[in-house]
Every structure is written in structure tokens, then in C-alpha cells.
């Protein structure tokens, strides 16, 4: 099948290239723009309590007094605020209210609870309708508040900083744009330098970058259509991850093809025949590898969380487009470029290298497969033990931008000057179930009980603002002792929910809202996803491996090795960030991202190596010799591809925030383990030990494989010789 595809692509190269270019511009012209969403509650299903509470809030309190933003006042000299400063603050608050900034409903005056204990800081809440939190103008409100606040405090002894959800959204967008640029440039530089060193050719170094630009337009457009049609909600990290995946995976598949193309040229094929035979030989490995990646990502549609429901299909589409381009567009372009031009100025492509290092590794694995399997396995097991210390954290906003952003400075200052949860309180909404009005005075005991829950610093109900217009719902504000994104606050919310539900007066129902409540539900949703997504992805990938290898044995130990790789990756990340850097934990979604990327992308290298090993076995070599030859000839491809893909993910460290750093390091580490431990040592060693049993029940993997594909009609190539692939 892939030989025929290769022949078609070579014969109709210009048509294939033109089709891709036309499709790219046509799709991108008509595709809707992919929008991101930073409201964590938008990613949860409606049946979770935090979402039900948010919906009740919208109905009962249309002019939502929950802070969409907050103003933090302090003196320029760091001293305590005096009466003159208080007059300045009142003037600023009134001035901001008079500006009628779009989306801003109220700028509330500073009350007694709004001052820090040392009177050096004061806090004012800014009300923004929560239904507008996903609006593009939401962060613009924070920008306008900053600009006008700075103007109003100019020439005074007071300065004002803007924090809260709107400010975090604004700073995330700014940090995300910078990170996207740095990651994009870093990825391209790594690809250019690495391919330039490997092939010593500027054209080959540029080819994957140019082709990715073309088919990334197709992928981005299709993702936009999918998001629009199915209502998928993207988070702020999607575009960054897409960039890395498109360039990293695209370069990987490019290397798979180029190494085999160069090998066929050295065997005597002419250019067009070499391209067709290269597609025929690695096409199955590329599509199988891509199939495993697509399946792993597509399974995320089963996730409870909207961020994964959007990310999974988007990455699946990107990888599927990359795979199709790798066996059509890329070989079409290569077939049109004379080999002397393509490899210029290097002439090394004309002679077979000794591959001395990989030949030595191959001989070692072939001679001592048991020792190799044990040692490489122990490396992964040793790292995996550290994963037992993993702790999850939920500070999405704080982890996705640098600490010097204004919203982060305000958050940190608030945590020190006030209760850590003062800037982002929780809310208990108590609503009547029988249509009767609630009496705030009769609820003081209930409010007092909520205030006694461990971890709650303050419980309050303002009789003027805390009762809905119809009198059937009251809003009880809870200031937590800990930051709303901390594990302690999430645990506190569990106790708050129990107390709120158990002690709710007869005829009423209590729902708990707020950031900590949202994260509590996200934690529950993640536990559900771990028990569902992991096993389904593993089973589907095993089926793909079984179909590729015509074996029911090999998929089991291949997936076992990937499982060890996952544990080793999570362990290494835990060691670096929790033990060495002293972080309180890793971001809550990291294990599922590691699992999917290591299982999916890491399986690529296992597939490439095991496919080459099977090919060598088909030539009649015994299992140990087949493993040795597979490493000798497939090792350079796996090493180069693994290095480049790990390098592209490592560029996420340039973003300068915790979330990107953890993702970049962990996925890069997982890929390095997959390429240089699993695929290079563990998998071939196990296959050599199992021998022909690895291919059971397939029996066509021994004996001569016959001559290769005939040259293209009208070409001057020679048939691919048996025994040398």
C-alpha cells in the first residue's frame, strides 16, 4: 500500500504540492478563529456543585458583587495609610466609577475589613458580571482600571495596583504572547541547528520548517472548525502546545523518511525510486505511530474537563494532518529536488557510515539482552519510585505567568497583608426551596457555624447586598485562611460543603461557589479521568501495535515499557520541581499530560525500532542479531528524532512560568527516556530474549522477505536488494 502511495506521490509530485498549498489557504481563510478561555469553571460539566452555585449566582444576583478585579492601595514610601491617603483612595474609587469602564458594574469603597492589620494596605473590590468573564473585553477592563488608576493617583502619596481575575486574564494573555514567540523561535532554532549538524545541509534543515508552515495552516483551520462545530473550549496553553507538537512531531516523521531515503540512495536507487521505497518502508511506521498518538489524544473527549476535551481533539487533528503530510507533501518536495542540491554542500550522503556507536550498542544488546533489559529497567524503576512523592497543585493563574506580573504581585501582597484567601473569597448561596423569602436575621446562627469551620477566617452576610431581589437567596461570603488555589483551601471547601449542607435550615438548599470550590470539583473530575482515559488509551494503542506487528505478545511488553517510562518521567519531574526546587507540588493536570505524551509520542520510537527489528527478522536473522542490526540502522533515527522532539518541548522552559516549565521539562524528559532507554535498550533487549515468541501468532516474520519494490516505470533505479534495508 505505502509503496503504491510513494509511487503515486513521486509521479504526481507537483499536483500533490499544489493541492496542499491550495488546501492550506482555502481552509485558513474560512476557518473560525480559535479562542482561549481562562475561566476554570467553564471547563467543568454542569452537574458539579461549583457550577450549579455559579448558575444560581447569575440568576439571584445579576449584578454580581464577587470581585472580577480588586484594587490594592499602599503608600509609595511603604508607611501606614493616613487620613489624607484615605481621602485620595475615595477620590480614586469615585473617579473610576465615574469613568463607566465597560463591563465594570461597581467599584466598592474600602470598608473596615478592607485594611490590613498594620494599616499599610487597603483593598477595594471591583464588581464585574461573571457572565462576562469569558468576554474578550474582560481583560481590557483590568487594563483600563490600571491606566485610569495610575492617572488618578499621579502626584499623590498613594499608588494603586490591580489584581483579581480580570488582571490575571490580562497578564496571562500578555505572558502567553511572549511565551508563544519565544517557544516558536526556540523550536525553529533547535530544528535548524540539529538538522544542520546531522545532514550538514541548509536545505534539509529548512525543509521541515517550511512544510510545517504549510500543513500547520491546514491543521489550525481544521481545529478551528472542530472547536466551532462541537463547542470545544480551549485553554491558554493550547496554542503553545500545538506549536511544539506540529514542529516536533513533524520533524520526527521527516527524520524517519530522510534517514531511509538516504539509505536507499546509498543502496543504488535513483532519486524517485529512493523516495518511493522510503515511503514504502517507513510509511507504515509513521502512520502506525501517528495512529497511536491520535488515539491517545482523541480519547480525551471522554474527559470530564473541558480543557482536555478541547486539547485532545486539537492535538489528534494536528498529528493526523502531520502524518498525512509526511507521506505525501514531504516526499513530493524531496522527489523534485536533485539529491546533490538537497544534501549540498555535504557529500557524506553518498557513503555508508560505520555508525560505530550504534553498532557497538547493538552488539552489546544482542550479546547481553538479559543484562541490558535488567539495567535499563532498573533505571526507569528507580526514577519511578520518586513518583510516589507526587503532590498536585491547582494555582492555574499563578503557575501560568511570571511572578513579576502585577496581578501576581498583588496576589502575593494580599496573602501577606491580609488572609491568604482575602482576595478571592468563597461564597455559600442559601436558597429557598419552597418559594418563601429568607430572613437574614434568622440566619446569623448558620453564618456563625460556617465561620467556625477550620480553615475559614471570616463568614459574613451584608444585609444590604447579600439578599437577592426576590428575597429567596442569600449570599454568605467566606474568607479562607489559605490561598483559594492551595490544597489546604480545597480541603477546607470540603468541610465547608459538609457544614453548609448539613446545617442548612429546613426548606433551603446550600451551594458553595468560588475558585476553591471549582478546584475541588476539578480534583474529583481528574480522579474520574484517570480511571477512564488511561486504560482506554492503553487498550486502543495496544490494538494498533498488535495490528502493526501482527502479534498479541509484543504489545504487552511494549506497553509495559511505556508504563515504566511514565512512572520514570513523573518521578524525575517530582524530584526536580518538588525536591530540588522546593515547589509545593506539580500542576494537577501534569500526570495525564505526561501519560498521554509519553505513551503516544514515546510509542513512536518503540514502533520505529520494533518495526525495523521485525524487518531484520524477516530477512532470516536470529532474534539477537535482528536486535543488533535494528539498533545499528534504526538507532541514529531514534536518537536524532528523540533529541529534536525533546528539544522542542524543552523550549517551553523559555516561557518563564511554572506550568510551562513543568510541562516542558516533564515531556522532554519522557521523550528522552522513551528514545534513549526504552527504544534503544529495553524494548530490543526484551524482544531478543523472547525471540520468535515476540511475533506470535504471526509466522511470516522469519525467512527471506524477498526483493524490494521495483523501480518506477521509466526510472533508471535498480530493485531494492534483499537482505539490506
Amino acid at each position: 500500500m505505502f509503496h503504491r502511495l510513494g509511487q503515486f506521490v513521486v509521479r504526481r509530485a507537483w499536483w500533490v504540492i499544489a493541492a496542499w498549498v491550495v488546501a492550506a489557504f482555502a481552509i485558513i481563510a474560512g476557518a473560525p478563529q480559535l479562542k482561549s478561555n481562562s475561566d476554570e469553571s467553564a471547563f467543568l460539566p454542569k452537574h458539579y456543585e461549583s457550577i450549579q452555585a455559579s448558575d444560581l449566582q447569575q440568576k439571584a444576583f445579576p449584578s454580581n458583587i464577587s470581585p472580577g478585579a480588586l484594587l490594592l492601595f499602599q503608600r509609595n514610601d511603604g508607611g501606614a495609610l493616613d487620613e489624607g491617603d484615605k481621602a485620595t483612595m475615595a477620590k480614586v474609587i469615585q473617579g473610576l466609577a465615574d469613568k463607566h469602564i465597560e463591563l465594570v458594574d461597581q467599584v466598592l469603597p474600602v470598608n473596615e475589613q478592607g485594611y490590613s492589620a498594620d494599616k499599610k494596605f487597603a483593598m477595594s473590590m471591583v464588581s464585574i458580571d461573571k457572565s462576562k468573564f469569558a468576554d474578550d473585553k474582560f481583560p481590557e477592563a483590568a487594563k483600563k482600571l490600571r491606566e485610569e488608576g495610575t492617572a488618578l493617583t499621579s502626584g499623590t502619596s498613594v499608588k494603586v495596583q490591580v489584581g483579581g481575575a480580570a488582571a490575571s486574564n490580562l497578564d496571562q494573555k500578555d505572558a502567553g504572547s511572549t511565551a508563544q514567540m519565544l517557544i516558536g523561535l526556540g523550536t525553529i532554532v533547535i530544528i535548524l541547528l540539529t538538522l544542520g549538524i546531522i545532514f550538514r545541509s541548509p536545505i534539509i534543515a529548512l525543509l521541515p520548517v517550511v512544510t510545517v508552515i504549510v500543513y500547520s495552516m491546514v491543521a489550525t483551520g481544521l481545529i478551528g472548525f472542530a472547536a466551532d462545530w462541537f463547542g470545544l473550549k480551549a485553554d491558554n496553553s493550547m496554542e503553545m502546545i500545538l506549536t511544539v507538537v506540529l514542529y516536533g512531531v513533524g520533524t520526527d516523521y521527516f527524520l524517519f523518511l530522510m534517514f531511509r531515503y538516504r539509505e536507499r540512495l546509498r543502496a543504488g536507487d535513483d532519486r524517485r525510486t529512493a523516495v518511493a521505497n522510503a515511503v514504502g518502508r517507513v510509511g507504515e511506521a509513521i502512520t502506525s505511530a501517528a495512529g497511536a498518538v491520535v488515539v491517545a489524544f482523541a480519547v480525551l473527549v471522554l474527559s470530564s474537563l473541558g480543557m482536555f476535551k478541547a486539547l485532545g481533539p486539537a492535538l489528534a487533528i494536528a498529528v493526523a494532518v502531520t502524518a498525512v503530510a509526511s507521506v505525501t507533501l514531504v516526499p513530493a518536495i524531496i522527489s523534485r529536488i536533485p539529491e546533490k542540491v538537497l544534501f549540498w554542500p555535504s557529500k557524506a550522503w553518498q557513503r555508508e557510515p560505520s555508525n560505530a556507536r550504534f553498532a557497538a550498542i547493538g552488539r552489546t544488546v544482542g550479546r547481553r539482552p538479559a543484562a541490558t533489559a535488567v539495567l535499563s529497567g532498573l533505571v526507569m524503576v528507580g526514577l519511578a519510585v520518586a513518583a510516589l512523592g507526587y503532590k498536585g497543585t491547582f494555582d492555574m493563574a499563578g503557575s501560568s505567568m511570571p511572578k513579576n506580573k502585577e496581578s501576581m504581585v498583588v496576589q502575593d501582597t494580599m496573602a501577606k497583608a491580609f488572609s491568604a484567601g482575602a482576595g478571592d473569597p468563597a461564597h455559600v448561596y442559601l436558597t429557598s426551596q419552597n418559594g418563601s423569602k429568607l430572613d437574614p436575621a434568622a440566619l446569623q446562627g448558620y453564618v456563625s457555624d460556617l465561620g467556625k469551620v477550620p480553615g475559614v477566617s471570616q463568614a459574613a452576610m451584608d444585609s444590604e447586598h447579600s439578599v437577592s431581589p426576590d428575597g429567596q437567596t442569600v449570599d454568605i461570603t467566606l474568607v479562607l485562611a489559605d490561598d483559594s488555589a492551595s490544597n489546604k483551601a480545597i480541603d477546607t471547601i470540603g468541610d465547608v460543603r459538609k457544614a453548609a449542607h448539613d446545617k442548612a435550615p429546613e426548606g433551603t438548599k446550600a451551594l458553595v461557589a468560588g475558585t476553591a470550590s471549582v478546584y475541588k470539583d476539578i480534583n474529583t473530575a481528574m480522579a474520574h479521568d484517570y480511571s477512564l482515559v488511561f486504560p482506554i488509551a492503553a487498550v486502543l494503542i495496544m490494538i494498533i501495535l498488535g495490528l502493526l506487528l501482527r502479534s498479541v505478545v509484543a504489545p504487552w511488553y511494549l506497553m509495559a515499557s511505556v508504563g515504566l517510562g511514565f512512572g520514570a518521567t513523573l518521578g524525575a519531574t517530582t524530584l526536580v520541581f518538588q525536591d530540588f526546587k522546593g515547589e509545593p507540588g506539580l500542576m494537577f493536570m501534569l500526570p495525564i499530560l505526561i501519560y498521554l505524551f509519553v505513551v503516544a509520542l514515546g510509542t513512536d520510537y518503540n514502533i520505529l525500532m520494533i518495526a525495523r527489528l521485525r524487518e531484520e527478522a524477516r530477512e532470516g536473522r536470529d532474534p539477537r542479531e535482528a536486535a543488533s542490526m535494528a539498533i545499528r540502522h534504526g538507532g541514529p533515527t531514534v536518537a536524532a528524532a528523540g533529541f529534536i522532539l525533546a528539544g522542542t518541548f524543552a523550549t517551553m522552559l523559555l516561557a518563564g512560568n511554572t506550568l510551562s516549565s513543568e510541562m516542558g521539562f516533564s515531556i522532554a524528559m519522557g521523550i528522552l527516556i522513551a528514545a534513549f532507554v526504552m527504544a534503544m535498550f529495553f524494548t530490543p533487549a526484551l524482544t531478543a530474549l523472547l525471540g520468535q515468541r515476540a511475533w506470535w501468532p504471526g509466522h511470516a516474520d522469519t525467512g527471506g522477505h524477498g526483493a524490494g519494490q521495483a523501480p518506477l516505470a521509466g526510472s533508471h533505479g535498480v530493485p531494492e536488494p534483499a537482505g539490506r534495508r
Side-chain angles (χ1 to χ4, degrees):
M1 170 184 171
F2 288 99
H3 280 289
R4 289 194 296 271
L5 175 62
Q7 291 170 346
F8 171 82
V9 167
V10 168
R11 291 192 181 107
R12 299 287 186 270
W14 290 118
W15 286 101
V16 171
I17 295 169
W20 271 100
V21 173
V22 170
F25 285 101
I27 290 174
I28 204 69
Q33 186 177 1
L34 189 64
K35 295 182 179 180
S36 63
N37 194 332
S38 61
D39 180 11
E40 290 88 353
S41 65
F43 298 114
L44 279 168
K46 297 297 183 184
H47 66 271
Y48 283 99
E49 180 171 340
S50 60
I51 307 304
Q52 292 177 359
S54 179
D55 291 342
L56 174 61
Q57 180 187 46
Q58 293 303 313
K59 295 173 184 175
F61 301 94
S63 59
N64 177 10
I65 63 170
S66 292
L70 57 88
L71 309 177
L72 181 66
F73 295 95
Q74 64 185 110
R75 285 183 59 89
N76 290 316
D77 60 9
L81 295 163
D82 58 27
E83 292 301 318
D85 299 326
K86 293 179 181 180
T88 299
M89 292 189 304
K91 178 183 175 183
V92 171
I93 290 170
Q94 187 60 50
L96 290 173
D98 293 341
K99 293 294 182 180
H100 300 292
I101 296 170
E102 191 170 5
L103 300 189
V104 173
D105 290 337
Q106 294 175 283
V107 184
L108 302 178
V110 180
N111 56 28
E112 278 303 313
Q113 289 75 36
Y115 289 93
S116 63
D118 58 9
K119 304 299 182 182
K120 291 183 178 181
F121 300 93
M123 174 179 62
S124 167
M125 299 293 187
V126 179
S127 171
I128 298 177
D129 186 348
K130 187 172 174 63
S131 66
K132 305 295 184 184
F133 275 25
D135 196 298
D136 289 339
K137 295 177 182 177
F138 180 54
E140 292 301 315
K143 184 177 181 182
K144 196 69 175 175
L145 285 168
R146 284 177 178 172
E147 292 172 352
E148 298 296 343
T150 300
L152 289 167
T153 55
S154 178
T156 72
S157 60
V158 176
K159 75 173 181 178
V160 62
Q161 293 175 292
V162 181
S168 292
N169 193 313
L170 175 65
D171 290 339
Q172 280 180 316
K173 288 182 68 174
D174 178 55
S177 299
T178 303
Q180 181 71 19
M181 180 188 68
L182 290 173
I183 288 169
L185 288 174
T187 297
I188 291 173
V189 167
I190 285 175
I191 291 171
L192 293 175
L193 287 177
T194 308
L195 290 182
I197 292 171
I198 292 172
F199 293 99
R200 301 172 190 173
S201 163
I203 295 178
I204 292 178
L206 284 169
L207 259 181
V209 176
V210 173
T211 54
V212 168
I213 290 173
V214 174
Y215 62 74
S216 67
M217 295 168 65
V218 174
T220 303
L222 292 177
I223 292 167
F225 280 121
D228 186 53
W229 293 340
F230 301 106
L232 302 176
K233 297 173 182 176
D235 79 329
N236 290 316
S237 64
M238 179 183 285
E239 190 174 354
M240 180 170 56
I241 297 174
L242 278 174
T243 298
V244 174
V245 167
L246 282 165
Y247 278 99
V249 175
T251 305
D252 260 16
Y253 295 164
F254 175 82
L255 281 168
F256 290 2
L257 184 71
M258 279 302 302
F259 272 100
R260 188 54 71 100
Y261 170 57
R262 186 176 65 178
E263 186 177 323
R264 294 314 314 146
L265 289 175
R266 289 167 175 165
D269 288 358
D270 70 278
R271 173 174 20 110
R272 298 173 67 206
T273 304
V275 171
N277 281 336
V279 173
R281 285 297 180 184
V282 299
E284 186 176 24
I286 288 175
T287 53
S288 297
V293 178
V294 168
V295 163
F297 289 150
V299 169
L300 284 177
V301 298
L302 301 175
S303 171
S304 301
L305 298 175
M307 67 179 77
F308 291 134
K309 281 183 180 291
L311 180 63
L315 293 177
I317 290 170
V319 173
V321 171
T322 300
V324 174
S326 298
V327 294
T328 55
L329 175 63
V330 176
I333 294 173
I334 292 173
S335 71
R336 295 293 92 190
I337 304 175
E339 52 269 42
K340 291 183 179 180
V341 175
L342 180 66
F343 290 98
W344 181 88
S346 174
K347 296 182 179 179
W349 63 274
Q350 297 175 331
R351 57 185 181 273
E352 179 75 24
S354 63
N355 283 340
R357 293 179 183 175
F358 294 99
I361 292 172
R363 287 193 298 271
T364 299
V365 173
R367 290 171 183 169
R368 299 179 180 84
T372 301
V374 169
L375 288 174
S376 55
L378 285 175
V379 169
M380 293 189 285
V381 169
L383 288 172
V385 170
L388 297 174
Y390 162 78
K391 297 177 183 177
T393 58
F394 292 82
D395 187 6
M396 287 284 289
S399 67
S400 58
M401 68 182 100
K403 297 296 183 183
N404 60 357
K405 289 292 182 181
E406 185 170 325
S407 60
M408 289 301 301
V409 173
V410 170
Q411 178 179 302
D412 292 343
T413 303
M414 291 283 295
K416 296 173 183 175
F418 300 84
S419 165
D424 190 7
H427 294 265
V428 175
Y429 293 100
L430 189 70
T431 186
S432 173
Q433 294 295 89
N434 54 22
S436 61
K437 293 186 177 181
L438 300 178
D439 179 8
L443 296 174
Q444 292 305 316
Y446 180 69
V447 175
S448 177
D449 286 340
L450 293 177
K452 295 175 183 177
V453 174
V456 175
S457 292
Q458 180 184 3
M461 180 176 57
D462 183 341
S463 59
E464 182 180 350
H465 297 103
S466 297
V467 182
S468 64
D470 62 7
Q472 295 183 23
T473 304
V474 297
D475 174 7
I476 302 166
T477 301
L478 303 182
V479 176
L480 305 182
D482 302 290
D483 183 88
S484 59
S486 68
N487 288 323
K488 288 184 178 179
I490 294 168
D491 291 339
T492 297
I493 284 296
D495 296 334
V496 167
R497 284 182 177 179
K498 188 176 187 308
H501 298 163
D502 293 347
K503 299 183 180 183
E506 187 176 352
T508 64
K509 179 180 179 181
L511 294 171
V512 182
T515 301
S517 185
V518 170
Y519 285 140
K520 178 72 174 177
D521 289 336
I522 286 178
N523 200 15
T524 302
M526 287 295 296
H528 166 270
D529 289 353
Y530 287 144
S531 65
L532 181 69
V533 174
F534 281 20
I536 291 178
V539 168
L540 292 176
I541 291 174
M542 285 182 68
I543 291 172
I544 290 175
L545 290 172
L547 293 174
L548 169 67
L549 302 173
R550 283 78 167 175
S551 167
V552 297
V553 175
W556 286 98
Y557 67 83
L558 290 178
M559 286 306 297
S561 70
V562 169
L564 277 176
F566 163 75
T569 303
L570 183 59
T573 309
T574 301
L575 282 173
V576 170
F577 287 91
Q578 287 185 201
D579 298 339
F580 297 157
K581 277 194 72 179
E583 297 285 350
L586 305 178
M587 284 307 298
F588 68 93
M589 79 284 282
L590 202 63
I592 200 166
L593 289 175
I594 290 174
Y595 177 82
L596 290 168
F597 277 102
V598 171
V599 168
L601 299 178
T603 301
D604 280 9
Y605 306 122
N606 266 344
I607 286 176
L608 185 70
M609 186 62 76
I610 206 75
R612 184 65 191 238
L613 201 152
R614 187 189 64 172
E615 188 178 323
E616 298 294 342
R618 282 178 168 179
E619 297 301 329
R621 294 184 173 90
D622 67 65
R624 296 192 177 199
E625 185 185 3
S628 177
M629 295 300 292
I631 294 171
R632 176 182 176 181
H633 296 297
T637 308
V638 169
F643 177 81
I644 288 179
L645 189 58
T648 56
F649 274 102
T651 60
M652 296 178 73
L653 293 165
L654 299 174
N657 62 69
T658 303
L659 175 60
S660 296
S661 296
E662 290 178 359
M663 287 176 60
F665 174 85
S666 61
I667 297 173
M669 175 61 68
I671 289 166
L672 290 175
I673 290 172
F676 293 95
V677 181
M678 282 195 293
M680 202 76 71
F681 294 98
F682 193 69
T683 298
L686 284 179
T687 307
L689 284 172
L690 287 170
Q692 301 304 331
R693 290 171 299 217
W695 313 115
W696 185 87
H699 299 292
D701 296 284
T702 57
H705 188 51
Q709 296 297 306
L712 295 168
S715 74
H716 301 289
V718 295
E720 186 177 13
R724 179 68 195 94
R725 298 293 194 280

